[in-house]
Amino acid sequence: MIQLKNSAQISTMMDAGRITGEALLLARERVREGVTTKELDTVIRNYIEKCGAKPSFLGYGGFPASACISINDEVIHGIPTVNRVLREGDVVKIDVGAFYKGFHGDSARTIPVGKVSEEALKLIEVTRQSFFDGVEQMKVGNRMGDIGNAIQTRVENNGFSVVKRYIGHGIGHELHESPDVPNFGTAGRGTRLCAGMVLAIEPMVNVGTEEVYEMADKWTVKTRDHKLSAHYENTCALTSEGVIITTLVDKSW
Ligand code: MG
Ligand code: MG
């Protein structure tokens, strides 16, 4: 069942979202060659806890860290460790959640480490654009398929592929709620959108094949062809006045 949120609940979700977004901004400042993914995770955890919130992912289904940090051909759910060191030319995906006063925020970004390839820059930008194409369709009376179709169209028109095995989701008291938010679909089809819905819209975009697989650690998801993947996610609340992107702290990012 879809849990619609009232304006007081959305206001609390804006606080959870702001903390989530600020944690990501702090992590971005620390991204450079030589930094371990564990260091980034610690920065994120410390900031979230300093705000009086809890990292949503820590312990979720047994996940052992506060952020999912995935590099290059890793799509999502990478586990931060002291052995994983960022290298010039890498693209690093950081996915963060914060739980505050009973509500979650969920947001992800893809960050270049130093100088990266033209293809990587294009992938990062197209993935970001596809998110905003999706948000543009997040209107009262539209359908879920309008969002997915807009995302898929942007991605495929640029020669990339949309990951279909993993999708966005409703969010609120629970990190993952109904409804499903696929990054693909048919315009005019699917769940009708209404005020009070809060959705984590999160395109995962691959340079090559859309096929992915889970590694032996039971978490990390990689592209089948080991080509690059990018991720961009925000928590978005639909109100009668329009969409509030709760986790978008830096409007240009
Ligand atoms: Mg996320
Ligand atoms: Mg999510």
Side-chain angles (χ1 to χ4, degrees):
M1 205 178 87
I2 298 172
Q3 303 281 341
L4 299 179
K5 281 79 181 179
N6 63 31
S7 58
Q9 292 171 320
I10 287 175
S11 166
T12 305
M13 290 198 76
M14 288 169 71
D15 290 332
R18 179 181 42 75
I19 294 165
T20 305
E22 287 171 351
L24 268 174
L25 279 180
L26 272 183
R28 174 176 67 170
E29 286 172 20
R30 300 292 280 269
V31 167
R32 63 176 62 86
E33 182 167 53
V35 169
T36 69
T37 54
K38 176 68 181 174
E39 286 174 70
L40 297 176
D41 185 66
T42 301
V43 165
I44 288 163
R45 178 174 184 166
N46 288 346
Y47 183 75
I48 290 172
E49 291 181 345
K50 196 183 92 181
C51 294
K54 285 184 179 166
S56 302
F57 303 167
L58 187 60
Y60 186 91
F63 191 75
S66 296
C68 297
I69 305 183
S70 314
I71 301 173
N72 297 337
D73 64 337
E74 296 167 357
V75 181
I76 47 170
H77 301 167
I79 301 171
T81 70
V82 293
N83 301 318
R84 203 68 199 282
V85 182
L86 300 186
R87 295 292 174 216
E88 172 100 7
D90 284 344
V91 298
V92 58
K93 283 134 277 185
I94 307 181
D95 193 347
V96 175
F99 184 68
Y100 183 72
K101 294 186 177 172
F103 287 97
H104 292 276
D106 189 5
S107 184
R109 294 290 184 276
T110 302
I111 305 166
V113 182
K115 190 168 166 48
V116 302
S117 67
E118 286 296 318
E119 183 178 65
L121 288 176
K122 181 183 171 192
L123 177 71
I124 292 168
E125 183 52 23
V126 167
T127 305
R128 178 177 171 278
Q129 286 171 351
S130 75
F131 164 85
F132 284 99
D133 290 342
V135 167
E136 215 169 279
Q137 296 301 320
M138 192 176 174
K139 295 175 188 165
V140 173
N142 268 13
R143 301 271 188 169
M144 198 62 77
D146 295 315
I147 295 177
N149 185 261
I151 292 170
Q152 183 177 16
T153 299
R154 167 76 69 174
V155 169
E156 293 180 355
N157 283 350
N158 280 278
F160 299 137
S161 66
V162 166
V163 174
K164 301 196 174 71
R165 170 107 175 264
Y166 297 89
I167 57 179
H169 50 92
I171 178 169
H173 287 311
E174 303 294 330
L175 181 60
H176 296 112
E177 296 183 356
S178 287
D180 288 346
V181 185
N183 299 302
F184 55 92
T186 306
R189 298 281 183 87
T191 306
R192 193 176 288 281
L193 306 179
C194 58
M197 279 186 179
V198 184
L199 308 176
I201 300 179
E202 52 176 315
M204 289 151 258
V205 178
N206 294 349
V207 161
T209 178
E210 70 178 61
E211 296 296 325
V212 297
Y213 69 100
E214 195 179 271
M215 290 177 67
D217 65 12
K218 296 285 182 199
W219 282 106
T220 313
V221 174
K222 280 192 174 196
T223 57
R224 181 71 65 188
D225 59 10
H226 298 293
K227 292 185 177 174
L228 289 182
S229 185
H231 188 198
Y232 187 96
E233 176 182 29
N234 283 303
T235 298
C236 308
L238 182 56
T239 76
S240 50
E241 278 97 60
V243 176
I244 299 166
I245 307 180
T246 68
T247 46
L248 192 67
V249 177
D250 175 347
K251 300 270 185 273
S252 67
W253 191 49

